[in-house]
Amino acid sequence: MRKVTIKNGTIVTDEEIAQEEGAKCPVITSEEYLIISSRKVADQQKREDRDLIWITRVSNRYFSQLVIAEFSAVFFAYFGLALSIFKYEIQQRREEEEFSLNLALFINTTCTLFLIFSLYVRYEIWLVWCKSVETFIENDTLITTGLWRTLVFEGIICLIAPYPFFEDKYLEEYVVDFKTDARLRINDLLLFGMFARIYLLVRFIFYVSEFLNPRTQ
């Protein structure tokens, strides 16, 4: 028995309904299907390539900012170190008045503070760069990643420097063999500790070389 359907007051058979649906959905051959599929894959690949190029550009931009932050830290670290060495040599020769020596200490202290700030900025930029290369997720911070520990450790190392309030302070020890007192300026001892900042220069050299260049990764 043939089934019929009443549509808009008209009796329509199943064959007519099938023909109507077939007209709405045209039939394509296997070759046409392969062509359409290949075009979709090519378009998807182009979009992925554009996204990769954009991510690479963003990553390179953050890396350039990271190199600038590294240079800033090296500049303040070694400018303060040079001032401290100059002040020490002049002080040993007693060729400079006290005002100039205190001024050198003040400038060195200012450089140390700027160095600490540069280190903080450096870690913030490094965190953003790591997010751009998908090492960390977007919600990560210096606290959640544990980078604050390294930041604090570096800050303590870079805080080792001569300060004005240690200028007239000495470490005294009585030497029994020579029956005399030995005195050492605290600032001279802190000056020796400033040479630990050499790691900043080594790290900066790595960043400007091909070793840490993102294009060679």
Side-chain angles (χ1 to χ4, degrees), residues 43-149:
D43 293 339
Q44 180 66 24
Q45 185 64 37
K46 289 181 180 179
R47 286 193 294 268
E48 292 178 356
D49 291 341
R50 286 195 296 267
D51 293 340
L52 181 60
I53 293 174
W54 182 82
I55 292 174
T56 303
R57 289 179 177 176
V58 171
S59 174
N60 290 339
R61 183 182 64 186
Y62 288 135
F63 187 82
S64 299
Q65 295 176 1
L66 180 60
V67 172
I68 295 174
E70 289 284 355
F71 173 77
S72 176
V74 170
F75 172 79
F76 288 116
Y78 281 88
F79 185 69
L81 178 60
L83 276 177
S84 298
I85 295 175
F86 175 77
K87 178 256 179 187
Y88 174 81
E89 293 294 335
I90 295 299
Q91 193 174 35
Q92 293 299 315
R93 298 178 183 179
R94 303 181 184 276
E95 297 177 356
E96 194 71 21
E97 59 183 10
E98 184 177 357
F99 174 78
S100 299
L101 297 178
N102 291 334
L103 180 61
L105 281 175
F106 175 77
I107 297 176
N108 176 47
T109 303
T110 304
C111 289
T112 301
L113 296 178
F114 276 106
L115 170 59
I116 299 301
F117 179 74
S118 298
L119 286 176
Y120 171 75
V121 173
R122 181 261 176 196
Y123 271 89
E124 285 288 352
I125 297 176
W126 190 76
L127 178 63
V128 176
W129 177 66
C130 288
K131 291 179 181 179
S132 67
V133 295
E134 299 181 352
T135 303
F136 297 135
I137 61 176
E138 288 297 328
N139 295 329
D140 279 336
T141 62
L142 293 177
I143 303 298
T144 58
T145 57
L147 292 174
W148 66 272
R149 298 185 182 90

